[in-house]
Amino acid sequence: MADLFDSDAKPEVEAAAEVNRPLADRLRPKSLAEVIGQAQVLGEEAPLGVMLSSGSLSSLIFWGPPGVGKTTIARLLARETDLHFVQISAIFTGVPDLRKVFEAAKIRRQNGQGTLLFVDEIHRFNKAQQDGFLPYMEDGTILLVGATTENPSFELNAAVLSRSQVLVLERLSLVDLELLTQRAERELGKGLPLNGEARDALHEMADGDGRTLLNLIEQVAAWRVDIPLGREALATRLMRRASKYDKSGDEHYNLISALHKSIRGSDPDAALYWLGRMLEGGEDPRFLARRLT
């Protein structure tokens, strides 16, 4: 007997659902070879490339800004090493949830399958919670891959760090962002209605964040325009992304250090750039004045 919900329109429904998925999800790489950027981590002679070729993947901490591929790379590592992928967020996961994750990983191990546990925002776990990972890392129940936007040396336990390799993921370059834009245009089946200058401005707005770029591309692709838009028209229609900056965290110290080095290196253009970044991010001008003096 046919099911009540069976319909000849199912393929069309599935196709519509596929089109309605966010572009960032539709373009998620299916292999490490498809990942754009991060050659310093994924190249043949880079840390992950060497680990995979030698079959000796260890626990990892990915340190980098949002939108550079931390989650995607972790998921693909699990696929390439035949490990079961489990993803949790330190923001929403408590001790009881962790116990369930570890118990499930134990059962998988008994059945001959390993577990890659990806922990987003791992620096949000307190010391006791981080210590809870250690016995399961040591006996091979889990292979831990943590992701953090904060300096692991300050935010993670020394015991966790000693059992992991920290890999730094960088913001996507303008060349990387252009490659991502071309991939998005192929997926959408059309080019963006932008001239060359506006296209460059779109990449600048993304500020090295691939996810942000794809979200912007979705907005731009939906516009109905007769002629390609220029930089000014793009700026009118889109809000520029807020600068990543916090006045007491890593970005504060990274940028003031960059400003110092630019001044000591007699590079006025770079010094003005870092000064502008800090002012735009909301830094206290008096702090900057003291430093300049």
Coordinates of all heavy atoms in Angstrom, one line a residue, residues 123-134 155-160:
H123 N 37.9 26.9 24.6 CA 38.4 27.7 25.7 C 37.3 28.1 26.7 O 37.6 28.6 27.8 CB 39.1 29.0 25.1 CG 38.1 29.8 24.3 ND1 37.8 29.6 23.0 CD2 37.4 30.9 24.7 CE1 37.0 30.5 22.5 NE2 36.7 31.3 23.5
R124 N 36.0 27.9 26.3 CA 34.9 28.2 27.2 C 34.8 27.2 28.3 O 34.1 27.4 29.3 CB 33.6 28.3 26.4 CG 33.6 29.4 25.3 CD 33.6 30.8 25.9 NE 33.4 31.8 24.9 CZ 32.3 32.4 24.7 NH1 31.2 32.2 25.5 NH2 32.2 33.3 23.7
F125 N 35.4 26.0 28.2 CA 35.3 25.0 29.2 C 36.3 25.5 30.4 O 37.4 26.0 30.1 CB 35.8 23.6 28.7 CG 34.7 22.8 28.1 CD1 35.0 22.1 26.9 CD2 33.5 22.8 28.6 CE1 34.0 21.4 26.3 CE2 32.5 22.0 28.0 CZ 32.7 21.3 26.8
N126 N 35.9 25.2 31.6 CA 36.7 25.6 32.7 C 37.8 24.5 32.9 O 37.8 23.5 32.2 CB 35.9 25.8 34.0 CG 35.2 24.6 34.4 OD1 35.6 23.4 34.3 ND2 33.9 24.7 35.0
K127 N 38.7 24.8 33.9 CA 39.8 23.9 34.1 C 39.4 22.4 34.4 O 39.9 21.5 33.8 CB 40.7 24.4 35.3 CG 42.0 23.6 35.5 CD 42.8 24.1 36.6 CE 44.1 23.4 36.8 NZ 44.0 22.0 37.0
A128 N 38.4 22.3 35.3 CA 37.9 20.9 35.6 C 37.3 20.2 34.4 O 37.6 19.0 34.2 CB 36.9 21.0 36.7
Q129 N 36.6 20.9 33.6 CA 36.0 20.3 32.4 C 37.1 19.9 31.4 O 37.0 18.9 30.8 CB 35.0 21.3 31.7 CG 33.7 21.5 32.5 CD 32.9 22.6 32.0 OE1 33.4 23.7 31.7 NE2 31.6 22.4 31.9
Q130 N 38.1 20.8 31.2 CA 39.2 20.4 30.3 C 40.0 19.2 30.9 O 40.4 18.4 30.1 CB 40.1 21.6 30.2 CG 39.5 22.8 29.4 CD 40.5 23.9 29.2 OE1 41.7 23.7 29.1 NE2 40.0 25.2 29.2
D131 N 40.2 19.1 32.2 CA 40.9 18.0 32.8 C 40.1 16.7 32.5 O 40.7 15.6 32.4 CB 41.0 18.2 34.3 CG 42.1 19.2 34.6 OD1 42.9 19.4 33.8 OD2 42.1 19.6 35.8
G132 N 38.8 16.8 32.3 CA 38.0 15.6 32.1 C 38.3 14.9 30.8 O 38.0 13.7 30.6
F133 N 38.9 15.6 29.8 CA 39.2 15.0 28.5 C 40.5 14.1 28.6 O 40.6 13.2 27.8 CB 39.5 16.1 27.5 CG 38.3 16.9 27.0 CD1 38.0 18.2 27.5 CD2 37.4 16.4 26.1 CE1 36.9 18.9 27.1 CE2 36.3 17.1 25.7 CZ 36.1 18.3 26.2
L134 N 41.3 14.4 29.6 CA 42.7 13.8 29.6 C 42.7 12.3 29.6 O 43.4 11.7 28.8 CB 43.5 14.3 30.8 CG 43.7 15.8 30.8 CD1 44.5 16.3 32.1 CD2 44.4 16.3 29.6
E155 N 44.4 30.2 27.4 CA 43.0 29.8 27.7 C 42.9 28.3 28.0 O 41.9 27.9 28.5 CB 42.1 30.2 26.6 CG 42.1 31.7 26.3 CD 41.5 32.5 27.4 OE1 40.8 31.9 28.2 OE2 41.8 33.7 27.5
L156 N 43.9 27.5 27.6 CA 43.8 26.0 27.7 C 44.8 25.5 28.8 O 45.9 26.1 28.9 CB 44.0 25.3 26.4 CG 43.0 25.6 25.3 CD1 43.3 24.8 24.1 CD2 41.6 25.4 25.7
N157 N 44.4 24.4 29.4 CA 45.3 23.8 30.4 C 46.6 23.3 29.8 O 46.6 22.8 28.7 CB 44.6 22.6 31.1 CG 43.4 23.0 32.0 OD1 43.2 24.2 32.1 ND2 42.7 22.1 32.5
A158 N 47.6 23.4 30.5 CA 48.9 22.9 30.1 C 48.9 21.4 29.8 O 49.5 21.0 28.8 CB 50.0 23.2 31.1
A159 N 48.1 20.7 30.5 CA 48.0 19.2 30.3 C 47.3 18.9 29.0 O 47.7 18.0 28.3 CB 47.2 18.6 31.5
V160 N 46.3 19.7 28.6 CA 45.6 19.5 27.3 C 46.6 19.9 26.2 O 46.7 19.2 25.2 CB 44.3 20.3 27.3 CG1 43.7 20.2 25.8 CG2 43.3 19.7 28.3

